[in-house]
Amino acid sequence: MKKLVFQLGAVGWAIAISALILFACSSLRHTLFQSGVFDLGIYDQVVYLISQGLPPISSFLGFHHMGNHAAWAVYLLGLLYKIYPSAYWLLAVQAVALALGALPTYYLSLQAGLKQTQATTMAAVYLLYPLIFNVNIFEFHPEVMAVPVLLGVVLAARLGQVGWFCIGIIFILGCKAVLSLTVAAMGFWLLVFEKRRVCGIFALIAGCAWFLIASQAIIPFFSNHEAAAVQRYSYLGNSVLDIARNLILQPGLILGRIFSLDTLGYLALLIAPVIWGLAPRHLTPLVSAIPALILNILSDKQAQRDLIHQYSLPILPFLILAVIASLAAGRGWLRSRRVIILWALLAFIVLGKYGYFWSRYLRSIDNWQATREAIAQIQTKGAVLSTHSICPHLTHRQQIQFVDDLSGFIPDFAQFKYILLNVRHPDGTRNPQFATNLVNKLKNTEFLRLSYQRDDVYLFVKKSSAK
C-alpha cells in the first residue's frame, strides 16, 4: 500500500512540475510577443467576450465562435475570465490539460496489468513525448482539453463506468468538431476489439451524429460557409460531403499521398519516441487514430504532418494505449525502465522545440520594452489595428484587426481608435518596407496623432475631434 501511495505521489509530482514548466514556457513565449492572432488571439478575444456577456464574434474571423470549430467547451473558460480576464488563463488550462494526461496513462497501465514501476514509466513516456511540449508553446487550441479525457474515457469504459464515459465523450465532442471522427472510430474499436458494447455504441453514434450536426448545420449557420479546413482538401471536393464521397468512390485520388515519402516521414516522426514499445499484434488501439491520421496525411497543409502543431494530438492517446498493450503482453524492444526513459529523453532532446527560446523567440527583444510601453498607453476598449504578434495582448475588446502585409491589404484607418506598429520587427521576416510605408502614411493622416514613438515602435491615436 505504501509503495502504491509512493508511486502515485511520484506521478502527481511529475504532473505538477510538468504543468508548471509548460505554463512557464508558454507564458514566456507570450510575454516575448511571439504568440499570434492564430490562435491565441482568437480564443482570448472570444473567451473575453463570453465572460462579458457579449456575442462571441471574433473580429479576426468575422463570425461567431461556434462557426469556427463548434467548440462549445470554450464557453466554460469564460468562468475563469470572470475572475480576471487574461490570456494566461488559456495557457494555464492548456498546460494543466496536457500534463494531466499522465494520470489516466498511469491508471490505464495498472489496469492493463503492468507493475507500478512500469506504470510510472509510462506516465513519464507520455510527459516526454515531444508533441506535448511543442503544442504547449504553439498558441492555444481547445482540443488540448480533450487529450486527458480521451485517455480517461477509455479507462472508464474498461472499468464499466458508463456514466463517466458518456460525460467524457460529450465533453470531447465540445472541444472541436473534428474530434467527432476520433470519437466514432474509438467507438468502433471499443465495440469490436474491446467488447465494450454499450460504450462502443454510444461513442460511435455520438461521434457520427455530432460530425453531421456540426459540419452540416452549426458551422455553416454561424459562419455562412463550409468548415475552414475543407480548403486543405480542395482536390477532393468543395464540401465535407463531397470529400467523403470522393474518398469512397475515387480512392485513386489519395493513393499517391498515402504511399509517399512525405507520409513515411510523418509516420516516422509519430512513432519514433515510442517505437520501442510497439508490437504488430497489439496495435488495435490505433484504429481510433485512423481518422486524424488520414486527415493529416491527405491535407495540403504541411503543418498537419509534424510534431509541432496540434493536429496530431488525437493520435497520441492511442499510441500510448498501444504501447501499454504491448508491454502488458510482454512485448516491446525495451524492458528496462532506465533505458525506456533514456529513449524518451533522447526523443525529446531531438524533437522538442525548446531551442526556440534562445533563437527565434529573442529576435524582437531589442525593442520589447518599447512595445510594452506602447501597449500600456492603450487604456480604453476602443478598436485597435496592430500586428499579428501584438494583437494577442490587446484582444479584450470587440473590434481588433491585424495588418496583413502578405496580401498588402490596408484597412480603413478611420474605424480604429488605436494603431500600433512595430516597424523593426513586423512579425518576423515579413515585409519591413511595407510597415515603413504604412507608418509614413499614418503620419500624414489628418485624424490621427502620433502618441508614442520609440525604437521603431509607433502608436497612433485617433484625434478626439475626428468622427
Side-chain angles (χ1 to χ4, degrees):
M1 182 65 181
K2 289 183 178 180
K3 188 175 181 180
L4 174 61
V5 173
F6 173 78
Q7 293 292 342
L8 182 57
V11 172
W13 276 108
I15 291 172
I17 293 171
S18 296
L20 285 174
I21 292 174
L22 292 175
F23 177 60
C25 289
S26 59
S27 296
L28 178 59
R29 177 182 186 265
H30 181 55
T31 302
L32 290 172
F33 296 105
Q34 295 301 314
S35 54
V37 168
F38 302 102
D39 288 318
L40 183 61
I42 290 174
Y43 285 108
D44 185 44
Q45 182 188 28
V46 163
V47 177
Y48 170 76
L49 294 175
I50 290 171
S51 72
Q52 300 299 307
L54 298 170
I57 297 174
S58 167
S59 60
F60 299 117
L61 299 177
F63 52 80
H64 193 281
H65 163 67
M66 288 298 287
N68 192 9
H69 296 295
W72 58 261
V74 169
Y75 278 83
L76 301 176
L77 300 177
L79 298 174
L80 298 174
Y81 275 54
K82 282 186 174 295
I83 299 173
Y84 182 78
S86 172
Y88 291 99
W89 276 120
L90 301 183
L91 301 179
V93 167
Q94 180 161 265
V96 171
L98 289 171
L100 267 180
L103 189 60
T105 296
Y106 174 77
Y107 282 118
L108 282 163
S109 299
L110 292 178
Q111 190 275 334
L114 297 185
K115 298 177 181 178
Q116 290 174 21
T117 53
Q118 291 177 303
T120 305
T121 301
M122 281 306 305
V125 167
Y126 167 86
L127 291 172
L128 288 170
Y129 192 87
L131 185 64
I132 295 295
F133 181 85
N134 295 346
V135 167
N136 176 74
I137 60 172
F138 178 63
E139 311 298 341
F140 169 82
H141 302 92
E143 57 262 50
V144 298
M145 299 186 291
V147 173
V149 185
L150 280 167
L151 289 162
V153 295
V154 174
L155 179 62
R158 289 178 173 177
L159 295 177
Q161 298 178 350
V162 178
W164 284 113
F165 176 86
C166 295
I167 292 173
I169 290 296
I170 293 171
F171 178 79
I172 292 168
L173 295 175
C175 291
K176 195 173 185 179
V178 74
L179 290 176
S180 58
L181 298 176
T182 297
V183 167
M186 181 175 65
F188 178 81
W189 167 63
L190 289 172
L191 179 63
V192 176
F193 297 97
E194 293 281 305
K195 309 303 179 184
R196 307 289 174 178
R197 186 169 177 269
V198 175
C199 291
I201 291 175
F202 179 83
L204 184 58
I205 294 176
C208 292
W210 184 248
F211 177 74
L212 291 173
I213 293 171
S215 66
Q216 300 305 303
I218 295 177
I219 292 176
F221 176 80
F222 284 102
S223 68
N224 293 318
H225 55 66
E226 285 277 345
V230 167
Q231 299 173 3
R232 304 170 195 168
Y233 310 91
S234 57
Y235 67 98
L236 291 172
N238 297 319
S239 69
V240 172
L241 295 182
D242 282 345
I243 292 171
R245 187 182 303 110
N246 288 328
L247 284 175
I248 298 172
L249 301 179
Q250 301 186 56
L253 292 174
I254 65 174
L255 292 179
R257 301 225 176 191
I258 294 176
F259 299 103
S260 66
L261 291 177
D262 188 36
T263 297
L264 183 62
Y266 174 50
L267 293 177
L269 281 175
L270 281 174
I271 67 174
V274 293
I275 192 171
W276 53 267
L278 296 175
R281 293 184 179 180
H282 304 281
L283 296 180
T284 56
L286 294 179
V287 169
S288 307
I290 289 176
L293 186 63
I294 293 297
L295 287 174
N296 293 343
I297 289 174
L298 298 183
S299 174
D300 285 331
K301 189 172 184 177
Q302 186 62 37
Q304 289 188 229
R305 294 181 292 278
D306 60 31
L307 294 187
I308 300 175
H309 301 86
Q310 73 278 12
Y311 304 103
S312 295
L313 275 179
I315 299 173
L316 176 57
F318 305 103
L319 271 175
I320 295 297
L321 286 168
V323 174
I324 291 173
S326 178
L327 292 180
R331 304 284 181 174
W333 301 354
L334 303 179
R335 306 293 295 172
S336 168
R337 179 186 182 189
R338 292 183 178 179
V339 177
I340 290 173
I341 292 180
L342 181 62
W343 184 291
L345 280 170
L346 181 62
F348 178 80
I349 291 171
V350 173
L351 299 174
K353 299 304 178 183
Y354 49 86
Y356 286 175
F357 285 95
W358 54 81
S359 57
R360 64 172 62 186
Y361 290 170
L362 296 180
R363 290 174 183 170
S364 60
I365 195 68
D366 53 347
N367 64 357
W368 174 82
Q369 185 61 38
T371 306
R372 284 178 55 86
E373 290 175 359
I375 289 175
Q377 294 194 24
I378 301 177
Q379 298 178 351
T380 72
K381 299 298 182 182
V384 169
L385 175 67
S386 191
T387 65
H388 189 268
S389 59
I390 296 177
C391 278
H393 296 262
L394 293 165
T395 40
H396 294 173
R397 62 196 70 242
Q398 287 186 281
Q399 183 60 32
I400 181 170
Q401 292 289 344
F402 70 100
V403 178
D404 186 1
D405 52 3
L406 291 179
S407 68
F409 172 72
I410 299 178
D412 179 11
F413 299 142
Q415 64 182 303
F416 300 103
K417 172 69 175 177
Y418 305 97
I419 301 177
L420 174 57
L421 300 175
N422 184 343
V423 175
R424 188 181 301 177
H425 302 289
D427 288 342
T429 58
R430 293 187 178 184
N431 190 347
Q433 189 58 48
F434 178 90
T436 301
N437 294 339
L438 185 57
V439 165
N440 291 332
K441 185 173 182 178
L442 291 169
K443 287 180 178 178
N444 295 319
T445 302
E446 292 184 358
F447 57 82
L448 294 174
R449 64 179 176 86
L450 181 60
S451 174
Y452 179 89
Q453 177 183 352
R454 177 186 167 189
D455 296 337
D456 298 324
V457 175
Y458 298 85
L459 174 62
F460 295 88
V461 180
K462 192 175 184 179
K463 295 177 181 178
S464 56
S465 59
K467 294 182 179 181

